[in-house]
Structure formats: C-alpha cells, structure tokens
Amino acid sequence: MPIARWAFNIRQPLLLENVEPLVTSLTDNDKPNIVPVSNLLNFLPKIECDRLLQKRLEDEMRRGLIGRLMIHSFFAAHHGCRWDQLVFSRSETDKPILLQPEHLTKVSFNISHHGDWVILAGDTSLESTVRLGVDVMDFQEQVPGESFDTFSACFLDQFTAKEVAFMKDAPADPSSPSGTAPQLKRFYRMWCLKESIVKALGVGIDFNLKSFEFDVQDEEETTKPTLSTRIQVHEPSPEFPEEGWSFEEALLDAEHCYAIAAQSEMEGSGPIMDGSEIKRLDWNELLKDAVPYPVQFS
C-alpha cells in the first residue's frame, strides 16, 4: 500500500513562470517577477476560498492555501481526478474529507502545516485500508531564553513519565540562550507523534494523550526518516488497537520536524513506509494538474 509523502516550503516565491498561462493577474508591483499567492485562490472552490480569506495573517493564509492545493494535487496525480471536480467537506473534528468522486471517498489522506512547511500523506491505493495522521512543528522558542521547565509546565501532564524523561534527558546545548534547545526539540518531536495519532484516529482535542506511550529508539532525528519508534496503547480497543502502527519521523530542516502515523487494518501487510526521504515539491510540481474552478466569485 504505497503512501505518498509530500512536503512544501511556503517560503518558495511564486514566480510568473510558475503560473503562466494559469493566471493573468498582475504581478507584485515591488517585485515584478513575483506573483501574489492569492492568485491561486481561483484553483479552489469558493467555499474554501472564503475560509482562507478569513485568515488574519498572511502566513496563515499561505499555509492553508498551499495545503488545500496539495490535497487537490495528490488526488489528481495519484487517482486520476480532474482538479476542478473534487468536492470536499469537513469532519466534526475539522479534518478535510472528500465527498466527490464517490469512488475515492475511502482514500485516506491527511495534511499539516506549521512554520515554513506544509506536509501531506495520502494512500495511493483505491482499496484504502490504512489510517493516516501527520504533524509538523517549528522548533521555536516561545519566549527567548525561557527555561524548558517553565515552557513545558502547561504541557507535561499530556505525556507519560517515560516520555517526559526522554525530553528532559536531552543533553544541554551551551550555544542556545537557555541551554535547553535539545529538550525543546525532543518536546516538539514527541508532540508531533502525539498529534499524528490524534489525527489518524480522527478524535478531538480532548482525547487523553496519556492513554498511549511512545518508545523512541533513535534519540536524534536527521533528514533521513526514522522508522523505529514504537507505541504502547494502555487500553487497546477496536477503535484504537495497538497492532498495525508504523511511524515515520525526520527533520525537514534544522528548524522543523514531522511525524507520520499509519495504521494498517490488514494483517501481514508488511511495512507501510519504506524509509525513503519525503518528496519536496516546488510550484511547478504542485500546480502541474491545476485548472480553475468555474464561476468563482459573484
């Protein structure tokens, strides 16, 4: 069951050459060869455009827009759909779900964005028997120089004692202002793993994150994916079994990490992820199959 794994850096400038002849709007007056990403709203249905235009910060809109484009591009590239015939809605937990075409509504996919990156994981098989959840995090210090204990005080009750020990046992970094950069990176790594499970299960934010525990085998992340992390579910159920889970973790760059959780419902299906690096898209690849939606704005 091949899984598509895509990443897109939102700092890539959208150049006129990337979108001609897709759009005909003027370029940014200050940067004659750069096109505002708002031009790409034409490639989404109006209901999605309206949602994105409510974003107050430009980066929020940019991440959200690219995420929606990635979902469309995934279904066009791997399932042969016409871009402008895809119809989406939202689940009770605000997860995007596909409504049309009907024969693809069971295909599992998930999206996440934070900082400079947007990532997507999607099942390329029509007979989808896998649940997917993804998360990406920016290694940002909320308050420069803040100690790890102060930063994490509001969050540590979401982790088991073993997970907290994994974070706190990270070696100090004298070069960082507070000396806690490695601890923060481990915190964000563990948070990515927790969120990937929540999103794969499709549950809400009130889900008990201490009901399962991660056992991290490879202590340090690199850009090469790590597949060795394991999970223990304290009270397994048909909705949340302990068997069949696979995890992929890696760095996207020095400031961002991601995690993918995949749970196969087929016994003996073999590894879900193969250890290859995530595919990093550029604008040309993202917009390869793009066509405008009809009658966008009245």
Side-chain angles (χ1 to χ4, degrees), residues 15-275:
L15 304 180
L16 191 59
E17 65 192 55
N18 300 139
V19 292
E20 286 185 323
L22 297 176
V23 297
T24 57
S25 300
L26 297 176
T27 58
D28 190 313
N29 291 333
D30 297 328
K31 301 170 183 176
N33 197 38
I34 296 180
V35 179
V37 295
S38 57
N39 281 278
L40 301 181
L41 290 170
N42 291 324
F43 302 106
L44 297 176
K46 186 176 186 301
I47 189 171
E48 294 183 26
C49 296
D50 292 343
R51 183 184 178 95
L52 290 168
L53 290 172
Q54 293 175 7
K55 305 288 185 183
R56 295 184 177 182
L57 300 178
E58 181 180 350
D59 275 0
E60 287 184 0
M61 193 276 285
R62 194 179 185 99
R63 283 189 289 262
L65 171 61
I66 291 168
R68 303 306 294 180
L69 294 172
M70 287 176 74
I71 295 173
H72 281 70
S73 184
F74 162 73
F75 277 99
H78 287 287
H79 293 287
C81 299
R82 269 188 56 90
W83 183 289
D84 57 344
Q85 293 181 351
L86 292 163
V87 179
F88 293 91
S89 183
R90 293 267 173 174
S91 69
E92 292 181 359
T93 57
D94 205 35
K95 183 178 179 179
I97 54 176
L98 182 68
L99 299 181
Q100 296 288 341
E102 288 188 15
H103 72 285
L104 295 176
T105 56
K106 300 298 184 183
V107 171
S108 182
F109 68 96
N110 200 227
I111 197 90
S112 178
H113 49 74
H114 194 238
D116 293 345
W117 289 90
V118 184
I119 64 170
L120 173 143
D123 193 347
T124 62
S125 171
L126 282 177
E127 303 297 327
S128 189
T129 58
V130 62
R131 291 190 289 185
L132 293 170
V134 301
D135 199 52
V136 59
M137 291 296 295
D138 182 353
F139 296 142
Q140 57 183 327
E141 283 190 312
Q142 302 295 322
V143 178
E146 182 179 48
S147 71
F148 178 75
D149 288 340
T150 300
F151 165 78
S152 61
C154 297
F155 302 100
L156 290 188
D157 62 346
Q158 304 292 317
F159 300 95
T160 67
K162 182 177 181 178
E163 292 167 341
V164 172
F166 169 73
M167 296 181 234
K168 291 192 171 183
D169 288 348
D173 180 5
S175 65
S176 69
S178 60
T180 62
Q183 292 177 320
L184 284 172
K185 287 184 177 182
R186 287 193 179 185
F187 168 85
Y188 285 126
R189 178 182 179 184
M190 192 62 68
W191 190 262
C192 264
L193 285 166
K194 293 281 189 180
E195 281 292 305
S196 69
I197 284 287
V198 168
K199 296 177 76 175
L201 295 176
V203 293
I205 58 174
D206 58 346
F207 189 74
N208 181 10
L209 298 182
K210 294 177 77 170
S211 65
F212 56 98
E213 179 177 81
F214 286 104
D215 182 12
V216 176
Q217 304 293 312
D218 295 315
E219 293 187 350
E220 302 306 324
E221 286 185 295
T222 68
T223 55
K224 180 177 174 57
T226 293
L227 306 179
S228 60
T229 296
R230 299 292 178 260
I231 190 173
Q232 178 183 358
V233 181
H234 299 316
E235 296 182 4
S237 67
E239 294 76 24
F240 189 8
E242 187 170 75
E243 296 77 23
W245 288 100
S246 300
F247 300 94
E248 175 178 306
E249 304 174 79
L251 298 175
L252 290 166
D253 56 31
E255 302 299 328
H256 298 78
C257 69
Y258 76 89
I260 301 175
Q263 193 262 328
S264 174
E265 299 174 359
M266 294 180 59
E267 294 185 7
S269 59
I272 298 177
M273 265 84 72
D274 61 7

